[in-house]
Amino acid sequence: MVERARLLIAVCATALAAGLFLIAPGAASAEEGITEWSASVSTSQAGGHPDLDFVTEWKTHVVGQSLPCHCDDARVITQHFPTGFIGNPHAIATCTAAQLSTNHCPVEAQLGVAETIGYEPLYNMETAPDQAGLIAFVVPLVAAPALIDLSARTESDYGLDATSAPIFHVLPIPSIKLHLWGVPADHAHDPNRFFSPLEGFGACFNYPEPCANVTGAQSSLPPIPYLENPTECGVPLTTTVDVEYYTGNTLTAAAPWPSTTGCDQLAFNPSLSATPTTTQQPGQPNGTVQADAASGLDVDLTVPQTQSPFTPSPSEIRATTVTLPEGFSINPNAADGKVTCSDQQGAFGTRAGATCPEHSKVGTVDLDSSALPQPIPGAIYLGDPQPGNKYRIFLTADGFGTHVKLAGKVVPNPQTGRIQVSFPDLPQSPFQEFNLHFFGSERGLLATPAHCGTYPVETEFVPWDANLTTRHSNSFFSITSGPNGKPCPGTIRPFGPQVDAGTVNNTAGRYAPFVFAVHRDDGDQNLTAVNVSTPPGFLASLRGIPYCPEPALAAVADPARPGRSEQAAPSCPAASQIGTASTSEGAGTHPLFTPGRVYLAGPYRGAPMSLVVVVPAVSGPYDLGNVVVRAAIHVDPATARITTVSDPIPTILDGIPLRLRSIQLNLNRPNFTLNPTNCDPFKVDALVFGDQGSTSTVPSHFQVSSCPNLDFGPRLALKLTGSTKRRGHPALTTTLRTAPGEANIRRAVVTMPKTELLDNAHIRTTCTRVQYSQRACPDGSIYGTATAVTPLLDKPLRGPVYLRASGNRLPDLVADLRGQIEIELDGKIDTAKNAGLRARFNAVPDAPVSSFVLELEGGKTGLLINSANLCKAKPKAAVKLVGQNGAHSSKRQKLKTSCGGRS
């Protein structure tokens, strides 16, 4: 008995044109073993339903002869039909194997006539679950079934193949002639239709004429087409045959297949609708679509494929491009936790079904075809990114022995994020409906526009025949609610960001990590920049921290730098890292959280240093590079209060609007951020910018504790050097020292003894405030130097001491300290009642200073003049110091002089 083989017919097989012509025999020589090969169709009409006759003859040995033969017996014959020539095994009834073996196949299952040794009815057979189509006839004499598998070339063009089961070696068949009916139930075939049960074999020997002495049978089924010509005209078509021999050799012959005609007779009227599927809220009617919300998408693509025996089938669709409305974008959290499906897992290039990972699945699909008894289910997967085609999707469906695998691409506009989805290479196949559902939920693949309104979905459909008109259609969906059931936002969306800031340990004077977080709700304007001012006295230790080099910052900001490379080997040195960052992006209540690092960098935009946040933009299988935001760190010279001014935060990356929801910075480097020693209530001020121009100043309460527990014991020494005589001009050196962990100084007042006066005659010039702000003080306004050593910096701060113009009777004494940062100590000069010259530093920054030395010149440039002989007067100064914690220190401080070492 002949071995049973399978034959898959791809319902998705593409439809190409075929005509009423005799195809010339292949060019195979006698040595190749193929002696005749031809095929003809009864009509060349594109989309028509022709009767098909094809003949294949090959060399084989002659039974009963022992003559040597240069060929061997054929084993399997495979006919490759042109692209687009398809068959529909579901158009007629089927015959079971048992019915075939007992000659009881239904009349309605006959689809033509087979000719080998005699003429026998050709039946449409019942298929196994993994088969799409199977035809069979009974070989005369041996009464053995001959099976022919129909399958689709899903590894290439989805064309139709017909493959015989292995031919019996004992009784070799030298040829096969099949006459298939385009519309099997057509009464025109009744004279050649065999009755059931079939009585005997070889009853008809003059096909296609009516069988001798047989009136024929009638099918009770409606005339549904079984065969269909391609729907592309004017292109050369080819058909081939493979003859596989028992020796293992395979011979192939090819011949042209005439082009189809009459494409102008074809209909082509596809349509598409798309509807977002946002989260529903209680009380909202079904179908309510929310603005600025995580969303799925339901897409219904219809390509009418009316099957009529009297009119050509409509053109199949060759390509489609769908452009979603502006504002409807990929949700940044769409790929979180996802993987991609490789082309190998997608089974492209094979006839197998796809085996994509479950975690690459992003939707479902139902695929309907006029060649299928019912829709077949499938799934939508994320495909492996390719150069220039990052966002790929695979559409797969399986059923009735058919494994559909279609590759599409998603292209977001790099400036706006507007999405264009295209399937540029659909097979010629009678698809009539695609029902796609892209998953929604709180991590929906997509995000809706930010405003209510009616939004168009634009679609372009390209038919297979170039002579047909490309169709365009618009469908619409409406957004009727704000996010989470809120009212629709206005033209200018609200902007109410929330800020939370503070240290993890609020003990005064302690090092503790500082955490800053800003958040916005769905429906609010997107975050575009954040400026932060910390409280006075909240400082950072820069000692031992190198800046991230500028070349490293340029490298990490390079668009070609992958985010995964940055994760594995950061561009900035680890020594410059001062903390971590976390951002969240995307619409919905489950945004994507993306970790990053915070680095200290050098001068930037007029500030002495900067802070750089680096967040590798990696989500699931996608690597969008790195988001780099730099913020200038300004230090108020009078208060040492820190203000960071950030560059604009990117709102779109590689075509994906970030919809930034929150930013959190954790400056957690050990012994980096330092609490104030002042327990007064302060605040962290955040100036937050929205993408529609709104700004919001959001304060966050800040207050440390345990200030009274801090010691306060600064030591101040005053020394006069040079002339001690009356009318002499001594130099003054003031040295302040503090112990680690003490409260910092808030106010300092030093009142000189009556022996020391200000010599107005020695005031050369003063620096105006304008000159001072422009760093243009004249040299003559310098009257000394100052040096401050702080545990927060590697190097001391040094600078000149100026007399600067003020609104008081006397100019101010200003120490301009410069170094890694700049600090200004402003002393008000006057004369105390019943005392001498007085300097009041009323606003000393809340910063730890190990030592501070202020030196005023003496001699010809000295400002001080003795009113008495210092060696006789033994002068004392009054020193009053107030700590940031409210503690006081008042002393009568002896002045050291040059009187032989005596004070």
Side-chain angles (χ1 to χ4, degrees):
M1 186 171 181
V2 179
E3 175 188 352
R4 176 171 176 143
R6 297 179 197 149
L7 184 48
L8 291 163
I9 184 166
V11 287
C12 311
T14 49
L16 284 178
L20 179 57
F21 297 101
L22 181 68
I23 298 180
S29 65
E31 287 74 16
E32 292 176 320
I34 300 175
T35 59
E36 182 179 349
W37 173 43
S38 63
S40 63
V41 288
S42 61
T43 178
S44 65
Q45 172 62 51
H49 311 294
D51 295 338
L52 168 67
D53 296 335
F54 69 87
V55 178
T56 305
E57 294 184 358
W58 56 91
K59 288 189 176 182
T60 187
H61 82 266
V62 179
V63 178
Q65 293 183 359
S66 59
L67 297 176
C69 184
H70 65 278
C71 62
D72 206 328
D73 295 338
R75 180 177 180 273
V76 175
I77 311 298
T78 301
Q79 176 80 39
H80 304 288
F81 289 99
T83 305
F85 188 83
I86 64 171
N88 180 5
H90 309 289
I92 60 175
T94 59
C95 176
T96 66
Q99 290 171 325
L100 182 68
S101 66
T102 59
N103 303 324
H104 279 75
C105 284
V107 170
E108 289 77 11
Q110 187 180 352
L111 50 77
V113 177
E115 180 182 351
T116 53
I117 300 173
Y119 292 93
E120 301 302 330
L122 185 63
Y123 291 112
N124 185 42
M125 299 299 296
E126 184 179 65
T127 58
D130 59 348
Q131 287 182 299
L134 181 68
I135 60 178
F137 62 94
V138 176
V139 180
L141 301 181
V142 296
L147 305 175
I148 299 176
D149 244 0
L150 300 177
S151 62
R153 298 187 292 271
T154 56
E155 76 281 10
S156 56
D157 64 350
Y158 280 69
L160 176 63
D161 283 352
T163 305
S164 72
I167 300 170
F168 207 26
H169 203 28
V170 175
L171 184 63
I173 298 176
S175 67
I176 184 170
K177 300 178 182 179
L178 298 182
H179 312 282
L180 278 75
W181 299 331
V183 185
D186 191 339
H187 291 305
H189 300 302
D190 288 350
N192 298 110
R193 202 183 314 274
F194 288 71
F195 286 97
S196 179
L198 180 65
E199 306 224 356
F201 299 94
C204 184
F205 295 93
N206 59 338
Y207 187 85
E209 297 301 323
C211 296
N213 304 318
V214 177
T215 59
Q218 289 189 356
S219 172
S220 62
L221 296 177
I224 300 175
Y226 173 72
L227 297 178
E228 181 180 318
N229 277 337
T231 58
E232 184 179 23
C233 296
V235 296
L237 303 176
T238 302
T239 181
T240 61
V241 65
D242 297 334
V243 179
E244 177 191 337
Y245 284 85
Y246 274 95
T247 60
N249 295 328
T250 298
L251 303 180
T252 300
W257 183 292
S259 298
T260 51
T261 60
C263 280
D264 58 340
Q265 303 297 312
L266 303 183
F268 185 61
N269 295 296
S271 63
L272 180 142
S273 65
T275 304
T277 57
T278 55
T279 304
Q280 298 296 315
Q281 296 294 317
Q284 287 189 307
N286 290 333
T288 299
V289 179
Q290 302 171 17
D292 199 16
S295 178
L297 188 69
D298 287 336
V299 179
D300 295 323
L301 169 60
T302 302
V303 187
Q305 289 291 324
T306 304
Q307 297 296 304
S308 167
F310 311 111
T311 58
S313 295
S315 173
E316 285 90 8
I317 186 170
R318 184 170 195 166
T320 183
T321 300
V322 181
T323 304
L324 297 173
E326 200 75 66
F328 198 84
S329 63
I330 297 174
N331 203 359
N333 62 7
D336 189 25
K338 295 292 185 183
V339 298
T340 54
C341 180
S342 67
D343 287 38
Q344 182 178 6
Q345 292 169 320
F348 292 97
T350 76
R351 299 196 183 192
T355 56
C356 292
E358 183 65 20
H359 282 96
S360 65
K361 187 176 179 180
V362 294
T364 59
V365 62
D366 284 326
L367 178 64
D368 196 7
S369 169
S370 60
L372 289 173
Q374 63 187 48
I376 57 176
I380 307 168
Y381 298 98
L382 296 178
D384 268 354
Q386 291 181 341
N389 188 10
K390 180 174 291 184
Y391 308 112
R392 303 170 71 208
I393 54 174
F394 295 163
L395 188 155
T396 70
D398 302 277
F400 307 104
T402 301
H403 304 294
V404 181
K405 298 153 292 187
L406 305 175
K409 61 181 180 180
V410 179
V411 180
N413 184 292
Q415 281 77 43
T416 67
R418 190 177 191 185
I419 301 170
Q420 192 174 80
V421 183
S422 62
F423 284 87
D425 191 21
L426 294 172
Q428 278 196 73
S429 172
F431 295 133
Q432 63 185 20
E433 191 165 358
F434 294 84
N435 295 316
L436 288 76
H437 172 66
F438 292 90
F439 294 151
S441 77
E442 282 305 316
R443 288 195 173 180
L445 289 172
L446 304 166
T448 55
H451 296 92
C452 293
T454 300
Y455 291 86
V457 177
E458 303 169 6
T459 310
E460 179 184 83
F461 306 97
V462 180
W464 260 99
D465 189 80
N467 296 315
L468 293 175
T469 302
T470 296
R471 299 285 185 180
H472 295 83
S473 73
N474 283 351
S475 61
F476 300 87
F477 66 81
S478 295
I479 297 177
T480 56
S481 167
N484 302 313
K486 297 177 182 178
C488 287
T491 303
I492 302 298
R493 302 193 307 279
F495 193 54
Q498 303 99 53
V499 172
D500 189 18
T503 60
V504 299
N505 182 341
N506 71 337
T507 302
R510 291 284 185 88
Y511 286 101
F514 176 75
V515 178
F516 173 86
V518 58
H519 169 83
R520 72 161 186 95
D521 292 331
D522 280 329
D524 275 15
Q525 297 178 38
N526 292 308
L527 304 173
T528 58
V530 182
N531 298 343
V532 180
S533 294
T534 55
F538 182 80
L539 304 172
S541 175
L542 307 181
R543 182 180 291 272
I545 303 178
Y547 293 152
C548 180
E550 294 297 328
L553 294 176
V556 71
D558 187 337
R561 170 75 168 168
R564 288 191 174 89
S565 297
E566 182 64 23
Q567 287 176 331
S571 300
C572 291
S576 63
Q577 184 176 348
I578 58 175
T580 59
S582 177
T583 62
S584 66
E585 302 84 17
T589 58
H590 293 79
L592 169 69
F593 285 89
T594 310
R597 296 180 174 92
V598 184
Y599 298 97
L600 188 67
Y604 187 65
R605 298 190 182 277
M609 68 195 74
S610 54
L611 176 149
V612 180
V613 179
V614 178
V615 179
V618 177
S619 178
Y622 299 112
D623 188 336
L624 308 185
N626 298 284
V627 175
V628 181
V629 178
R630 194 167 184 177
I633 300 177
H634 296 272
V635 180
D636 188 308
T639 65
R641 190 181 190 192
I642 298 171
T643 298
T644 60
V645 178
S646 79
D647 284 348
I649 300 170
T651 57
I652 189 168
L653 194 64
D654 204 19
I656 299 181
L658 297 180
R659 297 178 186 255
L660 186 63
R661 298 290 301 281
S662 68
I663 304 169
Q664 179 170 305
L665 303 183
N666 186 1
L667 304 184
N668 56 4
R669 182 187 180 103
N671 297 327
F672 177 64
T673 49
L674 180 65
N675 285 335
T677 60
N678 188 329
C679 287
D680 290 345
F682 292 110
K683 58 184 178 179
V684 177
D685 287 319
L687 177 60
V688 189
F689 296 81
D691 65 343
Q692 289 188 297
S694 296
T695 60
S696 178
T697 301
V698 188
S700 183
H701 179 75
F702 185 98
Q703 189 172 15
V704 295
S705 65
S706 303
C707 290
N709 296 335
L710 296 175
D711 292 334
F712 184 67
R715 302 176 304 281
L716 183 69
L718 300 170
K719 183 178 180 180
L720 296 173
T721 59
S723 176
T724 59
K725 297 179 180 180
R726 184 178 180 277
R727 306 295 298 175
H729 293 82
L732 173 65
T733 301
T734 302
T735 303
L736 175 70
R737 300 185 186 279
T738 65
E742 288 186 342
N744 299 318
I745 296 173
R746 175 189 293 186
R747 185 169 182 265
V749 179
V750 178
T751 304
M752 299 297 288
K754 293 181 179 180
T755 58
E756 301 304 314
L757 303 175
L758 178 66
D759 191 348
N760 291 323
H762 277 205
I763 298 178
R764 300 179 296 276
T765 186
T766 59
C767 180
T768 67
R769 289 188 172 273
V770 173
Q771 290 172 326
Y772 188 88
S773 65
Q774 296 175 348
R775 297 298 184 196
C777 289
D779 292 342
S781 63
I782 300 174
Y783 294 89
T785 61
T787 301
V789 176
T790 171
L792 304 184
L793 302 176
D794 287 315
K795 296 179 180 180
L797 300 178
R798 293 186 174 90
V801 176
Y802 295 101
L803 284 185
R804 189 180 67 187
S806 73
N808 301 320
R809 185 172 63 87
L810 294 177
D812 293 341
L813 184 70
V814 179
D816 185 12
L817 300 170
R818 303 179 188 180
Q820 196 169 3
I821 60 173
E822 296 184 4
I823 295 295
E824 169 191 318
L825 285 177
D826 186 1
K828 306 298 181 183
I829 302 175
D830 62 5
T831 301
K833 186 177 181 180
N834 299 322
L837 196 63
R838 180 172 61 184
R840 292 176 295 155
F841 294 87
N842 295 324
V844 179
D846 186 1
V849 176
S850 302
S851 67
F852 174 77
V853 178
L854 185 148
E855 298 177 297
L856 294 179
E857 299 170 355
K860 295 181 179 180
T861 59
L863 287 174
L864 297 179
I865 185 170
N866 299 328
S867 64
N869 189 310
L870 298 183
C871 295
K872 295 179 180 180
K874 297 181 180 181
K876 291 184 178 180
V879 178
K880 293 183 179 181
L881 301 176
V882 180
Q884 293 284 346
N885 64 345
H888 288 72
S889 174
S890 298
K891 293 182 180 180
R892 295 285 295 173
Q893 185 73 41
K894 295 180 180 179
L895 273 69
K896 293 184 179 180
T897 64
S898 303
C899 299
R902 295 178 297 131
S903 57

